[in-house]
Amino acid sequence: MPIWTPDASFYPSPRMAMKAPAETLAYVASFDPKRRVPDAITIVDVDPGSSTYSQIVGNVPMPNVGDELHHFGWNACSSCLCPNAPHPHSERRYLVVPGLRSSRIHILDIKADPRSPKIVRVLEPEEVAEKSGYTRPHTVHCGPEGIYVAALGNAQGDAPGGVFLMDHENFDIRGRWEIDRGPQQLAYDAWWHLGHDTMVTSEWGLPATFENGLVPEILLGGNYGHKLHFWDLHRRKHQQEVDFGAENQLVFELRPAHDPTKAYGFVNSVISLKDLSSSIWVWFKEGKNWAVRKIIEIQAEPAEPDQLPPMLKGFKAVPPLVTDIDLSMDDRFLYVACWGTGDLRQYDVSDPFAPKLTGKVRIGGIVAQATHPDAANGKRTGGPQMVEVSRDGRRVYFTNSLYGVIDEQFYPDGIDGWMVKLDAAGDGGISFDSKFFVQWPKTHRPHQVRLEGGDCSSDSYCYP
């Protein structure tokens, strides 16, 4: 049933969202890499005034095993207030939780008890494939017209991957989003510039090229994704392809400016075949077309072969492996997760073409295995991976697992899951919250984080 007044967590502009109350709970995708017990959505207390601060306070197991919960999102968010397709009486009430491996989609209702959500619907893989034409749902974004889901394979698990739309209230699948996909074949993330009627999509690879781990021959051959695609959002037609070059492999996470008057955004390339570096690029409007420019390059660090996993021994270096980025709500700070070296970096991107490094912490890492002030003595495995920033920009959360079989390729001794929080100063600089270290149950690993009421990678806005 619709509500009479707009959801209190909906804000017309990012400026207003920054003034929202602080989150008290975090929802985390938690998966069993051995696929023996069900994955879960795990709830963590992030309220510093609570007696259970930095503890797991809830857990919702999925009804099956082997889903590999990965990225998930809300059914509705601040884009419901957009004038072109308003839904002001919807609620941010449901989590839409796909299984990347199973292609099953779970709908969780958090309203009655946010610490104990209830599964209210499960869309089975056969229904997803039949109604959407896609499998391996990866990214969930709430938009003005409904829920957008980017999927990595077609109904047969082959090319092309793409985007489908779900109803944000009854969760029926409406169908494939694209009318004319042009040359686009690979998929990964999808987001938009609502103020410029533009959809942006990025690329990873087909399920056969990652479900059993990254394939070295495909990676070294430059055959994973290395392009961005720009679309007419409402005509649903491909407009432009921008190629980063085959040496820049795995063009992943899209972070458009939150201010809808700004026509730029940031994306990461995980690894360069030239020197194992990672890079951050900005896309921007150049006349009538879109262009990209590399703005940050993070170099690999030398290492002895006996310190490295088999996949890297011949290179004698640790690649940064930038696998996630996040942009603060005021579009000032970009957070960069270096899953290989263990760094979490903060850059001032007030000028998106001239970023400045303003903060850095290290935890985990293939070689460093750096620890945390509040952790029990011992080396940390994994590294900063999925990053989420609070709406006011003062708190940064991240977890340490990428994808089950890929974890083992870079961390062959295994990963013990953890979640940490950083405090961010208003003018730049980050530091560990020494009281926040969540050790994950041995049976599971944590991946994406969603914050109560919204966060910096969940909502989009139509007003500046």
Side-chain angles (χ1 to χ4, degrees):
M1 292 291 291
I3 54 177
W4 286 106
T5 57
D7 187 309
S9 72
F10 292 174
Y11 294 89
S13 71
R15 291 181 298 106
M16 295 179 187
M18 289 183 66
K19 299 176 182 179
E23 67 284 351
T24 63
L25 297 173
Y27 298 92
V28 185
S30 184
F31 72 97
D32 171 20
K34 297 181 180 178
R35 303 194 292 277
R36 294 175 181 172
V37 297
D39 297 348
I41 290 296
T42 299
I43 299 92
V44 177
D45 187 335
V46 296
D47 178 1
S50 169
S51 61
T52 53
Y53 179 57
S54 82
Q55 295 179 28
I56 292 173
V57 293
N59 202 59
V60 184
M62 300 300 104
N64 298 277
V65 298
D67 288 308
E68 184 110 20
L69 301 188
H70 197 65
H71 292 190
F72 65 107
W74 296 103
N75 68 306
C77 55
S78 293
S79 62
C80 283
L81 302 181
C82 288
N84 57 315
H87 302 284
H89 304 302
S90 297
E91 293 181 89
R92 190 196 304 265
R93 173 174 177 171
Y94 301 95
L95 291 169
V96 181
V97 184
L100 180 54
R101 182 176 286 268
S102 70
S103 299
R104 189 176 286 113
I105 299 178
H106 313 83
I107 310 300
L108 278 65
D109 186 352
I110 71 163
K111 186 172 183 177
D113 184 355
R115 293 186 175 213
S116 183
K118 304 299 181 186
I119 298 174
V120 294
R121 183 171 177 182
V122 177
L123 287 78
E124 293 295 337
E126 296 79 12
E127 179 181 0
V128 173
E130 177 189 357
K131 293 183 177 179
S132 73
Y134 292 119
T135 57
R136 280 65 168 204
H138 180 272
T139 298
V140 175
H141 277 310
C142 39
E145 298 88 353
I147 303 165
Y148 290 72
V149 183
L152 303 190
N154 64 15
Q156 293 74 41
D158 207 335
V163 177
F164 64 91
L165 205 63
M166 297 175 66
D167 188 281
H168 72 283
E169 291 184 344
N170 65 20
F171 309 105
D172 287 345
I173 293 174
R174 295 177 181 167
R176 189 184 80 187
W177 176 79
E178 302 89 354
I179 295 295
D180 177 2
R181 72 171 63 256
Q184 178 267 329
Q185 293 291 298
L186 300 180
Y188 182 78
D189 200 1
W191 220 352
W192 41 65
H193 290 287
L194 293 175
H196 299 270
D197 199 21
T198 298
M199 169 86 88
V200 189
T201 64
S202 60
E203 298 185 339
W204 183 2
L206 297 176
T209 69
F210 65 81
E211 286 189 337
N212 295 312
L214 294 177
V215 181
E217 293 78 11
I218 294 175
L219 180 64
L220 296 176
N223 293 318
Y224 283 110
H226 48 87
K227 300 174 183 177
L228 286 186
H229 300 272
F230 294 87
W231 310 73
D232 184 309
L233 179 60
H234 285 96
R235 293 174 64 223
R236 296 153 57 193
K237 294 185 177 182
H238 190 280
Q239 291 185 316
Q240 187 182 349
E241 175 185 274
V242 177
D243 195 337
F244 288 49
E247 77 171 37
N248 294 298
Q249 287 286 279
L250 304 166
V251 175
F252 266 11
E253 304 292 345
L254 303 172
R255 300 292 180 250
H258 294 92
D259 184 336
T261 69
K262 298 176 180 177
Y264 70 84
F266 302 93
V267 65
N268 59 308
S269 172
V270 177
I271 192 165
S272 167
L273 300 180
K274 178 182 67 176
D275 56 10
L276 299 188
S277 65
S278 294
S279 53
I280 308 296
W281 301 63
V282 62
W283 74 77
F284 58 97
K285 204 69 180 289
E286 192 170 57
K288 294 183 179 180
N289 294 319
W290 295 90
V292 299
R293 184 183 303 172
K294 186 193 295 186
I295 57 165
I296 298 169
E297 190 169 82
I298 303 173
Q299 297 300 322
E301 298 180 358
E304 295 299 322
D306 61 1
Q307 297 177 295
L308 297 169
M311 196 168 186
L312 297 174
K313 286 185 184 296
F315 296 100
K316 298 181 180 180
V318 180
L321 298 177
V322 170
T323 48
D324 194 26
I325 58 176
D326 204 7
L327 182 63
S328 64
M329 192 69 74
D330 58 2
D331 297 328
R332 180 175 179 185
F333 293 109
L334 185 72
Y335 292 89
V336 176
C338 302
W339 188 62
T341 54
D343 287 346
L344 193 289
R345 295 174 171 231
Q346 179 199 60
Y347 291 89
D348 187 329
V349 289
S350 301
D351 178 349
F353 299 101
K356 300 175 182 178
L357 181 65
T358 49
K360 183 173 71 171
V361 299
R362 176 166 285 194
I363 180 170
I366 292 169
V367 171
Q369 298 183 6
T371 192
H372 181 277
D374 195 42
N377 290 336
K379 299 177 179 179
R380 304 268 72 81
T381 52
Q385 212 288 290
M386 290 307 297
V387 187
E388 197 47 78
V389 181
S390 64
R391 288 176 292 186
D392 64 4
R394 294 307 181 96
R395 295 165 300 284
V396 182
Y397 304 87
F398 59 90
T399 58
N400 69 327
S401 173
L402 175 61
Y403 183 77
V405 291
I406 297 176
D407 287 353
E408 311 304 331
Q409 290 181 290
F410 292 94
Y411 292 89
D413 293 333
I415 284 180
D416 290 329
W418 44 257
M419 174 181 174
V420 301
K421 173 194 158 195
L422 306 180
D423 294 318
D427 290 324
I430 49 177
S431 59
F432 285 112
D433 177 344
S434 62
K435 298 180 180 179
F436 194 104
F437 181 85
V438 185
Q439 187 74 56
W440 229 250
K442 294 288 187 182
T443 54
H444 288 74
R445 292 177 190 165
H447 192 62
Q448 189 172 38
V449 178
R450 284 279 174 231
L451 302 180
E452 174 194 31
D455 45 60
C456 286
S457 72
S458 65
D459 287 45
S460 45
Y461 305 88
C462 280
Y463 303 93

